[in-house]
């Protein structure tokens, strides 16, 4: 029934697998590893979504300006249906999507209610057809538009229970399965909030597919401005809006955006050193792997070679992809790779793209030592045993750390690092 | 100087590389392998872009409604500066980007002129500072707006030279290096054409960074409509536009969108069979690997497991990424992977996501035979030796074919397939 049934987590289970024997265990990076089955194909089935939303086991993760509700920085908190009824109504999915589009009124704020999925491992879940599990939703409670007052009241009620909205990017302290749920909720809530207008025609859009799609409705019940600059009364029949190309066929403008990025551990031709770079704003002695955005119409392997050359002047031969990490700030997919310098391509040039303050080759022993004592979040203290002046590196929750572990831990000799 | 200098192509060169020895040669998929250095960091340097555009060696790939100018279906044709001067002017990059934004007038159509990069291997190139090469641009000659007449004239002049604009998706016949140039030009031209308005505020946007970014200008010289529904004359000072969130800091709304997708060869737990699926609209006997879009906040490995379960019910353990392919229809990055079914996860269910007409396990021998005689583009004839009723598969230009070659050709025993 599920991509992650009651079997042990495939990513960490020692299955008798040829891929595991050849490539080692899979690295499951932070922000991945959600325990929810998204059942993505059921998002248009509002009878399913309605049953999930109104079931007593349904959990709602609230986001206020993207800050998630939490018990403490390591654990999310969830609201129940009755906590948010005053904001979202009894059931925003009671009517079909087609009916809701026909009723569209751009002057009324509909708070985003996002279906995240079902946790099939929980016993207290609901049942609908062949599906069974505990439903999870996210709700955007940011006070705005015509529901400002109702949203503020929900926020205050949650705070009165001793819960908090955790701001900033301090979500690296969340336990791993909940970090994945938070990333999922944050990415889609942000995408909806960031795209209130249609890039194809400039008119306001509305959320459908339980929060995972935005469409440009053909009509609008919003009152038009009158000659005095005020508003006319709400019309009995809706106004027809200007034509829009997104209403013909399928277009990516309607769907959430994810920006692929590359991040790469670059090893010298002899495999004994790793190329690291640093940005000016980082704390002293702090370095990391190089990274950058994939561009339109280039492969990941090409993006890795381009970015490494642009930022450091180093020329790469073979590039191998290691693992990937969702990164919801705001919508990145980090694709982690290992690249090897060409024999004559190891000279560092910083004069092309002036993005880095420094780039240098670091011996594997120094990398291993820094992974042992020099890792932490930016602005946090390093580990025990760190000596001032030693190399600082990103924490285990960052894919950069995982890539450095791989190349310094036997990536080339068939061990379990990849 | 370049990610692809005068050294042999790293992707196909038998370098003495540890990554090549361990993982085999890199698979360079069709639409990748561009010979151009994008020098992406120079796109804001309009003195560089101006020098490139006005140099006699500059080549311009023209796209009419995304159809590229070509000599024949296997070879692109390029215009020279004088061919398009009447449309784009002497030099659209003569003023700085800041000046051009200040002069923004939404009622005037500025045809897209897109800097693609420089080919450093060509001797006839231009020199600018430390950079040297033959510049390549793309120009959108689709007749529209205030330059409709000029654009149509350019199109007619090109046709009069015996050249053609190749329509449809028949670009798989282009030679590989030019397919990459075309993919690059198409992806960015389409992105610009598809996004004339700001998704953050609904106002028209303008192209900057030599065609690779769109901004929401703070002012507009366009005449406002007058009380009679006509237009007032062009104002002497520009109108101030409504505030927009994209003008504060950096936002992904300004940058081209690339949609990551997963495509995967799924092998049975014993490695002896491959899971294939077929869509209803495909010709008889035609099957391929499963594929789907990555969702926000999931890793590639998770997307592979989710899509395979949703479309076929099969449960996967370890997933390994094989290679990637840009796919400019309109903006996909295909991430090719190999996944292995869990011992108890091989049963096929088509009742979840009803996307496929059929899915089935196919023996490796049948895959190998179909790769030998049964491949072709959709709607084309299979190869010599094909027997009616035999399995049909996608051509070598598709990453699906490369993945099937990998898993049927020793992916698991350390040969050069990955």
């Amino acid at each position: 029934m599920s991509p992650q049934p009651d079997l042990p987590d495939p990513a960490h289970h020692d299955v008798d697998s040829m891929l595991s024997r050849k490539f080692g265990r899979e690295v499951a990076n932070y922000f991945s590893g959600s325990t929810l089955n998204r059942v993505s194909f059921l998002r248009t089935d509002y009878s399913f979504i309605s049953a999930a939303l109104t079931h007593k086991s349904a959990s709602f993760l609230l986001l206020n300006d993207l800050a998630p509700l939490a018990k403490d920085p390591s654990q999310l908190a969830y609201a129940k249906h009755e906590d948010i009824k005053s904001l979202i109504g009894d059931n925003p999915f009671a009517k079909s999507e087609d009916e809701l589009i026909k009723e569209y009124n751009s002057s009324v704020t509909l708070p985003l209610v996002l279906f995240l999925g079902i946790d099939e491992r929980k016993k207290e879940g609901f049942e609908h057809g062949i599906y069974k599990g505990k439903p999870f939703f996210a709700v955007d409670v940011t006070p705005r538009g015509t529901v400002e007052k109702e949203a503020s009241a929900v926020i205050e009620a949650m705070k009165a229970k001793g819960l908090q909205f955790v701001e900033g990017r301090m979500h690296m302290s969340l336990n791993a399965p909940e970090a994945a749920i938070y990333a999922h909720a944050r990415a889609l809530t942000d995408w909806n909030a960031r795209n209130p207008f249609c890039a194809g025609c400039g008119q306001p859009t509305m959320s459908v597919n339980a929060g995972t799609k935005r469409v440009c409705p053909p009509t609008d019940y919003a009152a038009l401005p009158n000659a005095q600059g005020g508003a006319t009364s709400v019309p009995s029949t809706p106004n027809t809006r200007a034509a829009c190309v997104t209403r013909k066929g399928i277009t990516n403008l309607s769907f959430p955006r994810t920006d692929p990025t590359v991040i790469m551990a670059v090893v010298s031709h002899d495999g004994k050193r790793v190329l690291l770079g640093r940005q000016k704003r980082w704390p002293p002695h702090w370095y990391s792997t190089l990274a950058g955005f994939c561009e339109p119409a280039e492969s990941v392997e090409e993006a890795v070679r381009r970015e490494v050359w642009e930022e450091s002047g180093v020329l790469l031969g073979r590039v191998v992809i290691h693992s990937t990490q969702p990164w919801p700030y705001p919508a990145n997919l980090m694709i982690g790779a290992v690249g090897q310098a060409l024999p004559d391509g190891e000279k560092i040039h910083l004069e092309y793209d002036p993005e880095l303050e420094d780039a240098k080759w670091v011996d594997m022993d120094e990398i291993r030592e820094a992974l042992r004592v020099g890792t932490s979040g930016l602005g946090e203290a390093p580990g025990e045993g760190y000596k001032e002046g030693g190399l600082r590196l990103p924490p285990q929750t960052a894919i950069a750390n995982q890539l450095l572990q791989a190349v310094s831990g036997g990536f080339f000799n068939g061990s379990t690092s990849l």
Side-chain angles (χ1 to χ4, degrees), chain A:
Chain A
M1 269 330 178
S2 153
Q4 288 176 319
D6 280 341
L7 291 164
D9 179 355
H12 290 110
H13 178 46
D14 229 347
V15 287
D16 169 30
S17 155
M18 288 168 299
L19 290 182
S20 292
R21 283 202 305 275
K22 184 167 178 198
F23 298 101
R25 291 185 189 182
E26 185 176 312
V27 172
N29 288 295
Y30 194 72
F31 287 133
S32 75
S34 174
T35 51
L36 302 184
N37 182 353
R38 297 187 181 210
V39 285
S40 73
F41 48 91
L42 294 177
R43 291 168 187 157
T44 49
D45 178 354
Y46 276 18
S47 75
F48 171 84
I49 301 291
S50 288
L53 183 118
T54 55
H55 192 261
K56 64 181 187 309
S57 69
S59 289
F60 297 84
L61 176 60
L62 310 187
L63 289 99
N64 177 16
D65 211 3
L66 301 178
L69 189 67
K71 290 177 189 154
D72 58 62
S74 73
Q75 212 181 345
L76 296 174
Y78 300 92
K80 304 302 293 177
H81 190 196
E82 64 259 28
D83 298 323
I84 49 165
K85 248 185 199 171
S86 56
L87 175 63
I88 69 166
D90 279 347
N91 177 14
F93 305 103
K95 293 182 183 169
S96 76
E97 213 169 88
D98 285 348
E99 285 175 282
L100 293 169
I101 292 171
K102 277 187 192 138
E103 292 178 6
Y104 177 64
N105 182 336
S106 64
S107 66
V108 173
T109 309
L110 295 178
L112 178 74
V113 181
L114 169 68
F115 175 63
L116 295 174
I118 52 178
D119 189 336
E120 293 160 309
R121 303 165 319 166
K122 303 278 186 195
K123 296 235 168 72
E124 76 265 40
F126 85 125
E127 253 185 279
H128 189 87
I130 55 175
Y131 304 98
K132 199 174 170 178
K134 182 176 158 66
F136 281 76
F137 289 82
V139 176
D140 187 353
V141 298
T142 311
R144 62 162 77 94
T146 54
V147 293
E148 193 172 342
K149 219 192 290 181
E150 291 81 357
S152 296
V154 166
I155 291 169
E156 290 315 313
M158 289 297 143
K159 286 184 180 166
K161 290 187 184 186
L163 303 171
Q164 52 182 308
F165 290 91
V166 182
E167 300 198 15
R169 290 196 182 187
M170 303 304 292
H171 310 115
M172 310 300 277
S173 52
L174 282 174
N175 68 84
E178 288 201 316
I181 290 175
Y182 162 67
H184 181 180
R186 187 196 198 280
L188 278 153
T189 303
D190 183 51
W191 172 72
N192 276 281
R194 206 178 262 261
N195 291 272
F197 292 91
C198 178
C201 72
Q203 297 173 95
T205 51
M206 77 177 276
S207 166
V208 296
N209 283 200
T212 60
K213 184 178 176 185
R214 296 190 74 83
V215 293
C216 185
T219 59
D220 188 347
Y221 272 99
L224 294 174
N226 63 23
Q228 284 71 46
T232 57
S233 57
V234 174
S236 57
T237 54
N239 300 301
T240 299
R241 308 210 305 175
C244 178
V245 69
T246 67
R247 290 183 211 129
K248 298 173 207 149
I250 294 169
T251 167
N252 64 358
L253 295 178
S254 300
F255 293 95
R257 167 177 176 145
T258 298
D259 296 314
T261 63
V262 290
I263 179 163
M264 42 274 172
V266 170
V267 294
S268 56
H269 192 70
D270 65 5
K272 293 183 176 162
R273 289 158 299 144
V274 181
L275 179 68
L276 297 180
R278 69 171 264 113
Q279 294 177 24
K280 210 173 173 174
R281 61 187 175 83
W282 289 351
H285 317 305
W286 189 289
Y287 280 77
S288 187
T289 55
L290 308 194
F293 284 98
C294 285
E295 294 221 332
E298 68 182 356
S299 70
V300 167
E301 297 87 339
E302 289 178 303
V304 168
R305 284 192 282 265
R306 179 183 53 74
E307 281 288 339
V308 168
W309 174 76
E310 289 187 349
E311 294 189 0
S312 75
V314 170
L315 299 169
L316 298 188
R318 180 76 156 105
V319 169
V320 171
I321 300 174
H322 174 269
S323 62
T324 64
Q325 177 176 43
W327 193 255
Y329 303 106
N332 297 346
L333 171 63
M334 312 273 282
I335 303 172
V338 174
Q340 187 176 11
L342 288 172
D344 301 323
E346 295 182 358
K347 189 157 188 285
I348 289 172
H349 294 266
L350 295 178
E351 68 268 32
Y352 307 143
D353 185 358
E355 199 164 296
L356 296 178
E357 184 190 58
D358 188 30
K360 64 177 180 183
W361 290 102
V362 180
D363 282 340
M364 285 293 180
D365 283 345
E366 194 179 344
I367 300 278
R368 278 187 281 262
E369 174 68 5
L371 286 172
R372 205 173 58 81
V373 302
T375 69
S376 73
L378 270 177
E380 289 167 16
E384 210 175 316
Y386 174 80
K387 288 190 197 99
E388 185 53 31
L391 179 65
R392 303 282 306 272
L393 290 173
Q396 282 206 314
T397 45
I399 191 171
N401 180 299
Q402 299 294 334
L403 293 170
L404 292 172
Q405 283 188 44
V407 295
S408 68
F411 183 78
F412 297 120
N413 55 28
S415 86
T416 59
S417 300
L418 177 74

